[in-house]
């Protein structure tokens, strides 16, 4: 299988995010191939992002090689992630999370059909 290598113009990770991901990656089974970044419909931006460990790399996946782990992104998700930087923020009060910086707006989900703000359904 020919993997598509992702470049820094596609997706970057801050050193803090790389360090934390590397630390987490040391705690998973050896059959885990990498950290998959995925997109799901929803939220005010129209898209929500998440990450999970993945034991498979598919033909439509791009791979960003990092020190000790891989970041895996399918080509559909990559459309929304191009130019995004993943960071890890630890506020020191138990609230720590990965954040996605530089997201491009893709058509909002707020105020649409079924929302609490009463957007109309056509």
């Amino acid at each position: 299988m020919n993997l598509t290598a992702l470049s820094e113009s596609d997706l970057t990770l801050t050193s803090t995010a790389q360090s934390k991901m590397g630390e987490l990656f040391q705690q998973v089974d050896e059959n885990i191939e990498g950290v998959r970044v995925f997109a799901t419909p929803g939220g005010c931006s129209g898209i929500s992002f998440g990450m999970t460990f993945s034991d498979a790399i598919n033909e439509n996946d791009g791979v960003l090689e990092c020190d000790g782990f891989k970041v895996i992104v399918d080509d559909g998700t990559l459309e929304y992630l191009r130019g995004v930087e993943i960071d890890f923020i630890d506020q020191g009060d138990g609230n720590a999370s990965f954040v996605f910086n530089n997201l491009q707006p893709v058509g909002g989900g707020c105020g649409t059909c079924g929302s609490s703000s009463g957007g109309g359904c056509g």
Side-chain angles (χ1 to χ4, degrees):
M1 170 186 331
N2 282 338
L3 295 177
T4 302
L6 299 180
S7 70
E8 288 193 3
S9 65
D10 293 321
L11 179 67
T12 58
L13 280 77
T14 65
S15 58
T16 308
Q18 285 188 41
S19 176
K20 187 61 176 179
M21 265 193 211
E23 180 184 315
L24 293 172
F25 205 80
Q26 295 302 313
Q27 301 171 21
V28 297
D29 293 336
E30 59 187 44
N31 65 330
I32 297 297
E33 290 285 337
V35 178
R36 178 173 296 281
V37 180
F38 60 90
T40 55
C44 288
S45 68
I47 301 288
S48 296
F49 295 98
M51 295 188 294
T52 188
F53 291 110
S54 179
D55 60 0
I57 298 175
N58 303 313
E59 288 184 20
N60 67 329
D61 289 335
V63 177
L64 181 65
E65 294 278 349
C66 296
D67 189 20
F69 64 94
K70 297 177 180 102
V71 178
I72 306 165
V73 183
D74 68 75
D75 54 10
T77 299
L78 187 58
E79 286 181 44
Y80 303 109
L81 281 180
R82 258 187 231 293
V84 166
E85 172 191 74
I86 299 175
D87 196 4
F88 182 75
I89 306 292
D90 186 348
Q91 298 174 348
D93 58 0
N95 288 327
S97 63
F98 289 96
V99 295
F100 295 79
N101 297 321
N102 307 326
L103 288 173
Q104 301 301 314
V106 289
C110 292
T112 59
C113 176
S115 76
S116 61
S117 60
C121 296

